[in-house]
């Protein structure tokens, strides 16, 4: 079943909060473009582009890539036909300058409809990230304990090889959580002041979170 939603939505949350998993699922269900800046950057790295090479050093260290690079990438992406009216931004904005640039780029008919903050205790995030595995072919997200594949290291959906993101190693995770606290968490107040922010308790089963998201985004 699909129900097209006219939503222009930001998913905000710490690494491991489940934004990517839910954004993929909600976008498929509600016919929204799923715009993940992390996925776009990983594609750039894979393709060997200059942008990918520049971004990789920041990503591997768990740091944010420079604002202007990301802002230009997102601006170009939301002008594509599939993102004309309805999308989910997953992993953007992550800093105040990015949020301000987004506001400047969107106006009137085009304005943000929802900002959803995924709340998960920090102790839970670490376990989710260290066990996360991604299919190198179809991008499906698995977890060694919470969502294992039938055959270890092989995607149940497409048979692709599972890989661990280079920034899901413990050394980088601490840095990513710190970056979230200092640079991204201030966006909660930014969007709270504008009256568009809603919080979802994302420390529950993926199915429960998914259903609540669909309700919140109506
Ligand atoms: P993600 O898949 O969303 O966790 O992103 C992986 C990495 O890509 C982050 O740790 C950053 O290095 C980079 N990245 C993704 N989105 C952004 C953004 N909006 N601003 C800066 N860096 C980003």
């Amino acid at each position: 079943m699909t129900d097209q939603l006219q939503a222009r939505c930001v998913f905000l949350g710490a690494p491991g909060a489940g934004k990517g998993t839910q954004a993929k699922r909600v976008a498929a269900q509600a016919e929204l473009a799923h715009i993940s800046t992390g996925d776009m950057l990983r594609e750039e790295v894979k393709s060997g582009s200059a942008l990918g090479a520049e971004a990789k050093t920041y990503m591997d260290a768990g740091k944010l890539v420079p604002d202007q690079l990301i802002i230009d990438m997102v601006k170009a992406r939301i002008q594509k036909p599939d993102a004309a009216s309805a999308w989910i931004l997953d992993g953007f904005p992550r800093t105040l300058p990015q949020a301000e640039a987004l506001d400047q780029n969107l106006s009137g008919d085009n304005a943000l409809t929802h900002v959803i903050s995924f709340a998960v205790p920090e102790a839970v995030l670490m376990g989710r990230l260290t066990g996360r595995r991604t299919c190198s072919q179809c991008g499906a997200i698995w977890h060694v304990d919470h969502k294992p594949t039938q055959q270890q290291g092989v995607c149940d959906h497409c048979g692709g090889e599972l890989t661990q993101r280079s920034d899901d190693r413990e050394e980088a995770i601490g840095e990513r959580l710190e970056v979230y606290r200092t640079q991204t968490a201030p966006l909660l107040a930014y969007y709270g002041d504008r009256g568009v922010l809603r919080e979802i308790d994302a420390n529950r089963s993926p199915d429960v979170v998914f259903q609540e998201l669909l309700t919140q985004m109506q």
Side-chain angles (χ1 to χ4, degrees):
M1 184 193 79
T2 55
D3 286 314
Q4 163 126 74
L5 292 177
Q6 288 305 311
R8 285 172 300 283
C9 189
V10 166
F11 281 6
L12 263 184
K19 304 182 301 295
T21 302
Q22 295 292 347
K24 275 196 182 97
R25 207 168 153 183
V26 173
Q29 169 86 14
E31 297 178 34
L32 308 171
H34 172 209
I35 302 175
S36 157
T37 44
D39 285 351
M40 290 167 80
L41 291 171
R42 282 184 287 278
E43 281 303 315
E44 293 287 342
V45 172
K46 222 171 164 180
S47 75
S49 70
L51 192 154
E54 184 183 351
K56 187 172 175 8
T57 49
Y58 297 98
M59 294 167 79
D60 284 351
K63 297 191 183 305
L64 296 181
V65 309
D67 282 334
Q68 203 52 53
L69 187 157
I70 287 284
I71 290 167
D72 291 344
M73 197 175 83
V74 172
K75 270 190 190 165
R77 178 64 187 87
I78 57 179
Q79 276 162 17
K80 293 201 173 160
D82 70 310
S85 60
W87 34 255
I88 298 173
L89 282 173
D90 159 17
F92 178 93
R94 257 168 150 110
T95 64
L96 281 170
Q98 291 179 18
E100 286 161 2
L102 181 63
D103 275 350
Q104 281 160 18
N105 210 51
L106 303 174
S107 57
D109 288 352
N110 221 3
L112 277 180
T113 56
H114 308 75
V115 177
I116 300 184
S117 158
F118 284 56
V120 178
E122 213 168 273
V124 175
L125 296 172
M126 185 60 99
R128 285 192 182 181
L129 291 166
T130 50
R132 176 161 70 179
R133 300 291 181 271
T134 308
C135 174
S136 54
Q137 274 183 40
C138 73
I141 300 167
W142 303 93
H143 189 281
V144 292
D145 300 319
H146 311 315
K147 197 182 173 198
T149 49
Q150 288 181 3
Q151 192 184 338
Q152 196 183 338
V154 181
C155 179
D156 283 359
H157 295 164
C158 73
E161 185 194 354
L162 301 192
T163 54
Q164 181 175 36
R165 279 173 44 170
S166 52
D167 58 352
D168 276 348
R169 285 168 292 105
E170 258 178 74
E171 315 83 83
I173 290 173
E175 178 65 23
R176 289 165 67 205
L177 292 175
E178 175 65 13
V179 163
Y180 175 76
R181 269 183 238 115
T182 55
Q183 300 196 57
T184 308
L187 296 182
L188 296 174
Y190 178 87
Y191 286 121
D193 289 348
R194 282 163 178 67
V196 286
L197 184 72
R198 301 176 199 193
E199 184 176 289
I200 189 162
D201 172 3
N203 190 23
R204 294 175 296 169
S205 86
D207 287 345
V208 172
V209 174
F210 174 64
Q211 289 305 333
E212 191 174 320
L213 280 169
L214 291 180
T215 306
Q216 288 207 11
M217 288 172 66
Q218 290 298 329

